[in-house]
Amino acid sequence: MDAKTGLFYLFALVLLFAAFRVITARNPVHAALYLVLAFFQASALWILLKAEFLAITLVLVYVGAVMVLFLFVVMMLDINMEGVRKGFWKHFPLAASVGALIALEMSAVLMGGFRLSEAPKSAVVAGQAAAQYSNTKEIGKVLYSEYLYPLEIAAVILLVAIIAAIALTLRTRKDSKNTNPADQIRVKRGDRVSLVKIKATQAAPVVAAPEEKT
């Protein structure tokens, strides 16, 4: 077994362990951190497959943006884990069945289409040096030629999702309190603070003595 195969088994084992801990960790922050570890291991596997563009995209997009945002949201929200975990074992058989079905479908697709292939070789032009192969360039060619319309449709869907999220966030709600920044800028000191003159010394109030009962 060479070094590349050993690294593959190492990254794969850590990836499986991290993925298992994502769904079994009781603390949501720990689950998110295990998911970050799983993303790093998947990125390392893509590097072994010489797919550097996909590896760096996974790290920058998912680890650097999505998971960091998710961690901030989880740590800022007060999540009641007892309420979330109610009914977990009740729905576990159905969830396990759906997971097993998805795993079988993915196995059927991967086993049927998986073929061992050699690394792409540089094209040699007569009288010139070998041209350096770039998988990023090849991905760009495929995306903007064969998959141009699906790429544009995905971009439009993401744009609609962003606009919808902004519209839902900025809508007026009766149970939310908001302030107008323009009113805050135009406010003056007299509108917020009122000065009241009080004498430094004041006579003590006269208290009537209680009447004695006979």
Side-chain angles (χ1 to χ4, degrees):
M1 183 175 65
D2 56 354
K4 186 176 181 180
T5 305
L7 288 175
F8 170 79
Y9 283 115
L10 175 63
F11 295 146
L13 288 176
V14 177
L15 174 60
L16 292 176
F17 170 75
F20 178 75
R21 289 297 296 158
V22 168
I23 60 176
T24 56
R26 295 182 176 272
N27 194 328
V29 177
H30 295 170
L33 292 176
Y34 277 116
L35 186 57
V36 171
L37 177 61
F39 284 152
F40 273 114
Q41 301 307 309
S43 176
L45 291 177
W46 275 341
I47 290 177
L48 291 179
L49 295 174
K50 297 184 179 181
E52 297 86 1
F53 178 75
L54 294 178
I56 195 62
T57 302
L58 178 62
V59 172
L60 292 179
V61 175
Y62 285 93
V63 178
V66 176
M67 292 311 302
V68 172
L69 178 62
F70 185 76
L71 280 174
F72 273 111
V73 172
V74 169
M75 288 187 290
M76 285 190 298
L77 294 179
D78 187 12
I79 301 177
N80 185 10
M81 295 306 301
E82 296 298 330
V84 172
R85 291 185 175 276
K86 285 183 179 179
F88 174 78
W89 295 109
K90 179 181 178 181
H91 302 286
F92 179 76
L94 178 61
S97 302
V98 174
L101 179 62
I102 294 175
L104 290 176
E105 291 177 353
M106 293 179 63
S107 301
V109 172
L110 293 176
M111 291 301 177
F114 182 74
R115 295 290 184 274
L116 292 177
S117 59
E118 297 181 357
K121 299 181 179 179
S122 303
V124 179
V125 183
Q128 297 181 359
Q132 187 176 2
Y133 180 83
S134 174
N135 55 13
T136 305
K137 184 177 180 180
E138 297 300 324
I139 290 175
K141 288 181 179 179
V142 173
L143 281 179
Y144 292 101
S145 59
E146 298 181 12
Y147 298 96
L148 178 60
Y149 291 115
L151 181 65
E152 291 181 350
I153 293 173
V156 172
I157 292 174
L158 289 176
L159 179 61
V160 171
I162 293 173
I163 296 174
I166 296 174
L168 292 175
T169 305
L170 296 180
R171 65 178 179 176
T172 303
R173 297 176 53 182
K174 296 181 180 180
D175 57 345
S176 62
K177 297 181 180 180
N178 51 14
T179 58
N180 189 358
D183 295 338
Q184 291 181 334
I185 295 174
R186 289 194 297 267
V187 73
K188 298 180 181 180
R189 184 183 65 177
D191 300 334
R192 291 181 178 268
V193 180
S194 59
L195 299 179
V196 180
K197 292 184 179 181
I198 301 177
K199 294 182 179 180
T201 58
Q202 295 181 359
V206 179
V207 180
E211 298 180 357
E212 296 181 357
K213 294 183 180 180
T214 59

